[in-house]
Amino acid sequence: MYKSFLIKYAEIGVKGKNRYLFEEALVKQIKYALKKTEGEFVVRRTDGRIYVDAQSEFDFDEVTESLRKVFGISGICPVVHVEDEGFEKLGQDVVRYIGETYPDIRDSQSEARVVNPQSGFTTFKVAARRARKNYPLNSMQINEELGGVILDAYPEMRVDVHNPDILLHVEIRDKIYLYSEIIPGPGGMPVGTGGKAMLLLSGGIDSPVAGWMIAKRGVKIDAVYFHAPPYTSERAKQKVVDLAKKVAAYAGPVWLHVINFTDIQLYIYDKCPHDELTIIMRRYMMRIAEHIARETDCLGLITGESIGQVASQTMASLAATNEVCTMPVYRPLIGFDKMEIVDIAEKIDSYETSILPYEDCCTIFVAKHPVTKPNLNIIKRHEQNLQEGIVELVKKALATDEVIVVQS
Ligand code: ATP
Ligand code: MG
């Protein structure tokens, strides 16, 4: 039934020169998303709109699911094409379109029926647009005439020009396009319009959500995972790859850097007070992540931290961790409660993977009583204990960098 999709996008902030870049990036992301589906499509821009035209049979659910993961799309309208064979034929097509799109209109018992609570009727409005100016009727005439045809065919409908239940768009082009439904898109900005950032991705619930949120603003995501074999297993690493895949479903291919952190961790364990272990370890993670970020043209780091969630995420701990970075560190979850984070994790389908029980590298080395108010001067003094070997160990860790290009 549907031959194309009209892609709606928010236009705020994309005026002038930026608009072109925004649209180019959006088209690119749409093409990328559709490549994963069975059908053949052409994506085109005309008169400030983006259309996805099917060139083959396709699975409607699969295609809309894919488009719903493209940041920058605010709505997806499935479009029916009908041939222009005179106005009478158009009237018949519109009546059939309404019958097929809203089969419950005549069934007063149906819960799926769209009904205006005030009137008890299904209300509608026709919005015609003549992209082809030689059509014999103008937009106003089309609206009126088609309105009459619909009322004749569906006595249970009423016109409401202000707040209709069904807003039927009729676009006169080489063919005639009919659409009225809008499937909500994810919003945000197309990935690629906002530069690139390095996500510190662990196996937990938070960091994939943090990456998703920054990607939603148009930022391309690379990721780094610190693993500590044999204390963390291959399965724990695979879990992180799987989580990167969840992010990649929205953000496009994620370059995941896997760094062997074991020797650094053991060295800190050996030389520093155990209640400061997590903070010092986190400082080294940030330093290494920033180093890789610089080498790969990232403009910032991303973590899944949220104030007060654990000892290493108190304001004092965050300040101590942050102190080693000169790049901006984006913490989009900073003010979120766990439940709010879980809601997003469920929405983006990362939750089930995140709660798999494989240990991450922090759980092995956690102190019984980690500091919650680390004193930066003391931390720095204890880091001096690492002076002898740490530079070499960091160099060695960086040499273990295994890059996995993760695609959904
Ligand atoms: P998450 O659910 O994201 O794992 P968390 O609540 O377990 O977070 P922490 O373990 O304190 O919190 O980690 C805080 C942040 O540090 C994580 O959100 C992540 O960005 C980063 N991080 C922690 N461990 C690792 C790791 N092994 N590799 C990469 N980044 C990590
Ligand atoms: Mg964690």
Side-chain angles (χ1 to χ4, degrees):
M1 176 175 172
Y2 299 110
K3 279 288 185 305
S4 59
F5 297 90
L6 169 64
I7 303 300
K8 296 201 170 246
Y9 49 90
E11 286 173 37
I12 305 159
V14 291
K15 302 227 163 67
K17 226 199 289 174
N18 288 339
R19 181 181 176 123
Y20 180 75
L21 295 175
F22 178 98
E23 289 176 344
E24 291 265 285
L26 185 52
V27 166
K28 188 172 161 215
Q29 293 302 318
I30 290 171
K31 285 182 178 165
Y32 178 76
L34 291 171
K35 236 191 283 168
K36 289 176 258 176
T37 72
E38 292 290 320
E40 290 285 324
F41 298 91
V42 168
V43 184
R44 64 190 166 95
R45 293 190 299 158
T46 5
D47 330 322
R49 288 159 173 245
I50 293 174
Y51 288 99
V52 172
D53 293 323
Q55 308 291 303
S56 70
E57 297 285 304
F58 65 92
D59 182 325
F60 182 84
D61 292 337
E62 183 191 40
V63 167
T64 48
E65 264 318 298
S66 299
L67 292 174
R68 288 181 66 171
K69 295 195 171 77
V70 178
F71 291 130
I73 295 182
S74 65
I76 303 149
C77 307
V79 181
V80 168
H81 294 192
V82 299
E83 298 295 336
D84 178 14
E85 293 165 349
F87 191 78
E88 197 179 322
K89 168 73 174 8
L90 177 60
Q92 291 162 4
D93 288 332
V94 164
V95 167
R96 202 184 54 216
Y97 171 87
I98 290 180
E100 284 174 6
T101 313
Y102 307 98
D104 298 296
I105 281 185
R106 296 203 153 142
D107 179 359
S108 58
Q109 302 303 314
S110 168
E111 290 199 6
R113 183 178 172 220
V114 215
V115 181
N116 187 303
Q118 262 149 28
S119 63
F121 292 103
T122 304
T123 61
F124 76 99
K125 172 185 173 177
V126 180
R129 183 170 186 252
R130 269 196 319 174
R132 178 158 61 77
K133 296 294 175 201
N134 68 357
Y135 195 75
L137 304 181
N138 68 27
S139 310
M140 279 299 265
Q141 290 166 326
I142 300 170
N143 292 343
E144 280 167 21
E145 296 290 326
L146 283 181
V149 171
I150 293 169
L151 289 171
D152 286 345
Y154 299 102
E156 41 289 277
M157 292 181 76
R158 289 287 182 276
V159 173
D160 180 345
V161 293
H162 301 296
N163 189 22
D165 301 318
I166 298 170
L167 178 58
L168 174 65
H169 294 270
V170 178
E171 276 184 29
I172 312 288
R173 298 181 169 270
D174 48 337
K175 293 193 178 174
I176 298 175
Y177 292 7
L178 306 177
Y179 62 91
S180 59
E181 292 172 290
I182 302 181
I183 300 163
M189 307 280 278
V191 169
T193 53
K196 189 165 72 167
M198 180 64 71
L199 168 66
L200 282 89
L201 182 62
S202 65
I205 297 169
D206 307 325
S207 41
V209 173
W212 179 85
M213 285 179 71
I214 297 297
K216 184 165 185 282
R217 296 307 304 159
V219 177
K220 194 175 169 345
I221 303 291
D222 280 354
V224 55
Y225 166 58
F226 297 95
H227 78 145
Y231 302 99
T232 60
S233 61
E234 267 309 297
R235 287 200 308 179
K237 175 177 157 190
Q238 185 56 44
K239 176 179 164 182
V240 174
V241 173
D242 293 342
L243 287 173
K245 216 176 261 187
K246 300 292 181 185
V247 177
Y250 290 85
V254 171
W255 289 51
L256 172 66
H257 299 259
V258 180
I259 298 285
N260 187 326
F261 202 58
T262 312
D263 291 344
I264 294 177
Q265 225 164 357
L266 290 172
Y267 193 54
I268 300 171
Y269 193 75
D270 197 30
K271 301 275 184 194
C272 300
H274 289 180
D275 57 354
E276 288 170 7
L277 204 67
T278 310
I279 296 291
I280 295 176
M281 200 180 75
R282 304 267 310 117
R283 282 164 61 91
Y284 276 96
M285 281 187 187
M286 298 304 266
R287 286 178 172 114
I288 293 173
E290 181 165 306
H291 181 91
I292 303 170
R294 276 194 205 294
E295 305 245 293
T296 54
D297 297 325
C298 290
L299 297 172
L301 303 174
I302 307 166
T303 75
E305 290 158 313
S306 145
I307 294 173
Q309 203 186 75
V310 287
S312 60
Q313 296 176 29
T314 62
M315 290 282 279
S317 298
L318 288 166
T321 309
N322 199 63
E323 196 258 348
V324 298
C325 300
T326 55
M327 256 188 197
V329 181
Y330 297 104
R331 300 180 171 89
L333 306 179
I334 200 71
F336 279 36
D337 295 346
K338 196 72 186 187
M339 274 319 295
E340 294 170 311
I341 300 170
V342 165
D343 281 349
I344 301 178
E346 281 175 337
K347 192 171 89 178
I348 67 172
D349 191 36
S350 60
Y351 183 72
E352 292 297 323
T353 308
S354 287
I355 58 172
L356 292 173
Y358 315 132
E359 72 294 341
D360 67 35
C361 74
C362 312
T363 47
I364 308 290
F365 293 94
V366 271
K368 279 214 179 65
H369 303 288
V371 280
T372 53
K373 287 195 189 116
N375 176 314
L376 192 51
N377 290 329
I378 298 176
I379 297 277
K380 280 183 172 173
R381 197 179 323 133
H382 288 148
E383 271 183 4
Q384 295 288 313
N385 301 352
L386 304 170
Q387 230 172 13
E388 201 180 323
I390 195 70
V391 173
E392 197 51 36
L393 287 177
V394 167
K395 224 184 261 171
K396 264 179 153 173
L398 282 167
T400 66
D401 188 355
E402 177 198 359
V403 180
I404 304 172
V405 181
V406 182
Q407 313 216 33
S408 67

